[in-house]
Amino acid sequence: MKKESKIDKQILSMALVLILVITVPILINPEKGTAFLNGVLNFITGNFGSFYLWVCLGIFGFLFWLAFSKYGKIKFGNEKPEFSTFSWLALIFTAGIGSGIMYWGIIEWAFYYDSPPYGLESGSVEAAGFASTYGMFHWGFSAWAIYCVPSIPIAYALYVRNYNSVRLSTACRGIIGDRADGWLGKLIDVCFMFGLMGGIGTSLALGTPLIAEGIHQWFGVEKSTGLNLSIVLGLTVFFCICLFFGLKKGLKLLSDWNLYLYFALAIFVIIFGPTAFILATFTDSVGILFQNFFRMSLYTDPVGKSGFSEAWTIFYWGWWFSYAPFTGMFAARISKGRSIKELILGQLVGGTIGCWVSFAVFGNTSMFFEITGAAPIIETLNAEGAPAAIFASLQALPLGGIVTVLYVVVAAIFLATTVNSGAYTLADVASKNLRNGEEPVRWYRVFWGILLTGIAIVLMYGEALNALQTLTIITALPLVFIMILMMASFIKWIKEDEKMLFGTETNTEAKKLKEDKTIPTIEITINNKNEEVI
């Protein structure tokens, strides 16, 4: 008997064709392509910006209610969790954040300090307060709420309803029904895959210059496209090795060590850096954030038209929406045995604290050096760019040379975990007939790792990365509606299952459903009581 293929050739071919159709014209004429896409992006942020803000705030409120309602006790299967709590949180955090936290965590404050919101004076005391706070806001509860939303219906579909595919279309099945298996489902999945491929490509483009800056300063190697390509090729070999060993032996160990080094570096800076300033500024920032959370969440400046919200908050929300299906799929894939409440709090609280460490420790240290004149951070930023300003901050620390090496190593590992997680998820989505807990075949995982880095290399060489980054944010708009559809599907499912759990269905109806062999029997644990549900 011939073994059925594990590769979903339709989704694979559709995703590859879409990438070629869109990226090749951008590659041929990057300037015109970028200008056109910037026009589309400006239209979206200008006309749908308020929609993004309201959806994000609504998502946060919905998750807060869900976590502390009776539905928060629903478990994703009755098995014990596959990973320890530390490894589980490490996998979620490192997959969702990547090297971006090492890049922006130390330097983002400078942009807000130099060009603050609310009409504040540049370089003022008030500007400093919001400068140290806005990074925590953009990478905090709201961002992780966006990330968390897809993980719940996907995990529910996978471990409660026992569907065999980790896909957005499957999570929408409660609303779209069998159309999840047709062209509509394929379109939903391909839309997500394109956004992820573009997002991972631009993550590589963001992390590579930071590593290149380190090599330039340590060895005097000239910064060039050739150096960037060499770095990406070197990282590709590392990615493929990790993907070969799989989720538990490769990605888990990488994520664990990533977090160990990240926190070790942060502890070093707290002890040997400006400790009192770090703690005082972080405390002040938490107060500013909670006092101004709703103002920051809904700030649009329609009269002043500063463009701050469009350039930062709305852009960030679009970026998180474009990544959210990927992080949701990956978080769902590793959350067997966890409850809905655990999954929500693990991402919203655990992810937020992980990000806050970077802004509180590295960002406030960099701000201290600027304010005291120990290092010209903003001057370096304006003259030489963000990577040079980041290194100026690190080298002002005690044992600055060693710190910069460790910082770049941690950033590289963050980048590796993101690409590995992305490749793993894409291989999962573009596979079929995977049994519960079964991983995509090794060569297929490695193939997606090579493809992701290949996209980054081609676009880096063609100077079209800015266009792809912009396009990735544009794809976030349809994903917002897909995520709303997923949550509607999830609500419909739990309402249906609630009736069965609490005995409101008639015995005749329950018997008829159980006799239907085409529908799997599933289990939900609520209040420590197991009930069979169709």
Side-chain angles (χ1 to χ4, degrees), residues 39 71 213 332:
Y71 304 114
E213 182 70 31

Side-chain angles (χ1 to χ4, degrees), residues 510-521 534:
K511 183 178 180 181
K512 182 179 178 182
L513 287 171
K514 284 190 177 184
E515 288 175 351
D516 187 349
K517 303 289 185 182
T518 63
I519 303 178
T521 299
I534 302 304

